């Protein structure tokens, strides 16, 4: 449904609501239970109150109250009510009760105010409530759109970050004419296929994400060759659950990046993924040789900042991220509360 159609639908819904509301209030106000009939004077008096409420609802509220011009709003409200009282007291009363004692001897200002206020208060109160509900829905929708846009932006930052690192490595192997270059290209192709086509949804099947992590690990393992030991294990994975894509891979990417940057051999990376009921337990540990730039990158890298932001947006209080860093090891432990595929 287009934005215009949604706006029209909301407008017609409000019109229908206001018609039903005015009919109900009118019947309550104008119906004479003693004679089981509708009286003309009651209808006219109700019309005076309804017009007053209409001015408040569709002029004073949007023009002044919702724009926080409260002083002008209450001044105009006083004037509108005063005009309604004058109209009822000195025009309508004279038409319908010209010869009555009420018109001749009773000033009627306070009596008229008590007559008008309940009807105006009911009609204006329901309009104010309707606007409040509509505004709340709009704010929630806008908040959702902003959140989705931010998530898409954060996810889009991951792909170039990954490509930059791996294409540089691939270029080096191509220059050296390494026999592993075709295998690296194939692994890179499978990883990119997943990142570009299979993880567009907000959540993806857990099994697919773990398969992607395995491919990603194998891709980087090919580049390490015999310079270290890479372990990857996943146990008790329930295929009924989903996970936000491209979150866990950031930690594995960082492990490879910083281990290789700081040392040329004895690289050790250990990735373990396990499940306990609906809780995913992820652990990634790597060794490194500390340098000033390496330690700074470990703590303040772009990828790590992005993944923390995405965790806050997607999982809020349903995750726990612990990062331990020593002089020789860097360990990430993440627990996520997952939901089953609907």
């Amino acid at each position: 449904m287009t934005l215009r159609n949604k706006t029209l639908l909301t407008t017609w819904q409000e019109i229908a609501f206001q018609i039903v509301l005015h009919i109900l209030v009118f019947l309550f106000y104008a119906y004479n239970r003693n004679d089981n009939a509708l009286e003309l004077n009651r209808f006219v008096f109700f019309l005076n109150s309804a017009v007053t409420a209409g001015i408040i609802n569709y002029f004073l509220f949007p023009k002044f109250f919702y724009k926080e011009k409260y002083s002008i709003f209450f001044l105009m409200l006083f004037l509108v009510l005063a005009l309604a009282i004058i109209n009822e007291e000195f025009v309508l009363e004279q038409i319908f009760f010209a010869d009555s004692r009420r018109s001749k001897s009773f000033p009627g200002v306070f009596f008229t105010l008590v007559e008008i206020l309940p009807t105006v208060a009911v009609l204006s109160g329901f309009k104010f409530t309707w606007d409040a509900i509509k505004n709340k829905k709009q704010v929630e929708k806008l908040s959702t759109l902003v959140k989705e846009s931010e998530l898409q932006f954060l996810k889009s930052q991951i792909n170039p970050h990954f490509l930059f690192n791996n294409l540089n490595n691939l270029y080096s192997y191509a220059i050296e004419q390494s026999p592993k270059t075709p295998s690296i290209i194939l692994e890179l192709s499978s990883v990119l296929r997943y990142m570009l086509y299979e993880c567009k949804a907000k959540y993806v099947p857990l099994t697919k994400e773990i398969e992607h992590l395995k491919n990603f690990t194998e891709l980087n393992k090919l580049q390490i060759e015999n310079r270290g030991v890479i372990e990857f294990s996943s146990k008790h994975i329930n295929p009924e659950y989903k996970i936000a894509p491209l979150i866990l891979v950031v930690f594995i990417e960082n492990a490879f990046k910083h281990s290789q940057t700081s040392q040329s051999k004895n690289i050790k990376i250990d990735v373990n993924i396990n499940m306990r009921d609906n809780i995913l337990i992820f652990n990634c540990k790597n060794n490194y040789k500390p340098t000033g730039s390496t330690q700074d990158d470990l703590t303040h890298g772009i990828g790590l900042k992005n993944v923390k932001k995405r965790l806050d947006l997607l999982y809020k209080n349903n995750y726990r991220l612990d990062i331990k860093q020593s002089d020789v090891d860097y360990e990430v432990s993440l627990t996520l509360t997952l939901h089953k595929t609907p």
Side-chain angles (χ1 to χ4, degrees):
M1 184 180 293
T2 63
L3 180 61
R4 182 182 178 184
N5 290 338
K6 288 182 179 179
T7 304
L8 288 174
L9 177 61
T10 302
T11 301
W12 281 110
Q13 287 175 340
E14 181 177 352
I15 291 173
F17 172 76
Q18 289 292 338
I19 290 173
V20 172
L21 175 64
H22 279 69
I23 291 174
L24 292 176
V25 176
F26 167 70
L27 291 175
F28 178 80
Y29 181 87
Y31 185 74
N32 191 327
R33 295 176 181 80
N34 296 325
D35 298 334
N36 292 325
L38 296 174
E39 298 181 1
L40 178 62
N41 65 295
R42 287 175 176 266
F43 170 76
V44 176
F45 290 146
F46 169 79
L47 190 61
N48 181 52
S49 299
V51 170
T52 303
I55 295 173
I56 296 171
N57 294 342
Y58 295 98
F59 180 74
L60 297 189
F61 276 158
K63 194 74 175 179
F64 303 111
F65 189 82
Y66 295 150
K67 294 182 180 180
E68 299 183 356
K69 299 178 180 178
Y70 300 123
S71 299
I72 301 177
F73 170 78
F74 285 109
L75 177 61
M76 295 296 294
L77 178 64
F78 175 80
L79 292 176
V80 169
L81 290 174
L83 288 174
I85 292 172
I86 291 171
N87 183 49
E88 184 165 324
E89 181 67 20
F90 297 102
V91 178
L92 301 182
E93 286 279 352
Q94 297 302 321
I95 294 174
F96 292 100
F97 302 103
D99 300 326
S100 68
R101 180 182 176 184
R102 176 182 177 184
S103 177
K104 289 181 178 180
S105 59
F106 184 67
V109 175
F110 295 105
F111 179 83
T112 303
L113 180 62
V114 171
E115 269 193 339
I116 291 176
L117 275 182
T119 304
V120 172
V122 169
L123 296 178
S124 297
F126 273 98
K127 170 60 177 173
F128 182 81
T129 303
W130 179 278
D131 289 345
I133 294 173
K134 183 172 69 175
N135 289 336
K136 183 181 178 182
K137 289 181 179 179
Q138 289 176 346
V139 169
E140 290 175 349
K141 187 175 181 180
L142 182 61
S143 178
T144 301
L145 289 174
V146 170
K147 182 178 177 181
E148 289 177 353
S149 298
E150 187 172 2
L151 284 171
Q152 289 299 323
F153 173 72
L154 292 172
K155 189 189 292 184
S156 70
Q157 287 185 312
I158 295 172
N159 294 351
H161 188 59
F162 163 79
L163 283 173
F164 179 77
N165 292 333
N166 282 277
L167 287 177
N168 275 344
N169 293 331
L170 182 59
Y171 175 77
S172 299
Y173 277 96
I175 291 294
E176 296 171 1
Q177 297 183 345
S178 169
K180 290 191 175 183
T181 302
S183 299
I184 294 175
I185 293 175
L186 286 176
E187 290 291 347
L188 181 60
S189 175
S190 64
V191 169
L192 288 178
R193 187 183 303 111
Y194 177 80
M195 296 175 74
L196 294 175
Y197 301 109
E198 298 182 29
C199 66
K200 292 183 178 181
K202 188 175 181 180
Y203 297 97
V204 297
L206 180 58
T207 51
K208 281 189 172 291
E209 182 69 11
I210 291 179
E211 182 182 355
H212 165 67
L213 296 178
K214 288 179 181 178
N215 292 334
F216 183 87
T217 303
E218 286 299 320
L219 172 62
N220 286 275
K221 189 176 180 180
L222 286 171
Q223 300 170 20
I224 289 179
E225 296 179 332
N226 59 351
R227 293 181 293 142
V229 178
I230 311 300
E231 298 289 343
F232 183 98
S233 67
S234 59
K235 299 177 182 178
H236 312 297
I237 302 302
N238 191 331
E240 297 180 354
Y241 287 89
K242 284 192 171 185
I243 188 173
L246 306 180
I247 284 183
L248 304 180
V249 71
V250 175
F251 300 118
I252 300 177
E253 180 182 9
N254 282 345
F256 277 101
K257 175 185 174 184
H258 297 299
S259 285
Q260 293 179 82
T261 301
S262 62
Q263 55 194 1
S264 59
K265 59 181 180 179
N266 297 325
I267 296 172
K268 186 176 181 181
I269 298 173
D270 191 9
V271 180
N272 287 285
I273 306 174
N274 201 350
M275 279 197 75
R276 186 182 301 121
D277 297 326
N278 65 329
I279 305 296
L280 182 74
I281 304 168
F282 172 86
N283 182 270
C284 181
K285 185 176 181 179
N286 66 278
N287 65 339
Y288 73 99
K289 290 184 178 180
T291 63
S293 59
T294 303
Q295 287 179 314
D296 186 64
D297 287 344
L298 283 169
T299 309
H300 304 288
I302 294 174
L304 188 58
K305 288 181 180 178
N306 285 349
V307 78
K308 286 181 177 179
K309 186 66 174 178
R310 289 187 69 204
L311 285 169
D312 288 335
L313 289 170
L314 291 168
Y315 290 97
K316 295 182 180 178
N317 299 322
N318 293 318
Y319 82 93
R320 179 176 177 179
L321 177 63
D322 293 316
I323 298 177
K324 299 177 182 178
Q325 183 176 351
S326 69
D327 293 336
V328 293
D329 291 316
Y330 187 82
E331 183 176 5
V332 174
S333 297
L334 175 66
T335 57
L336 282 176
T337 302
L338 303 181
H339 298 286
K340 287 187 176 182
T341 304

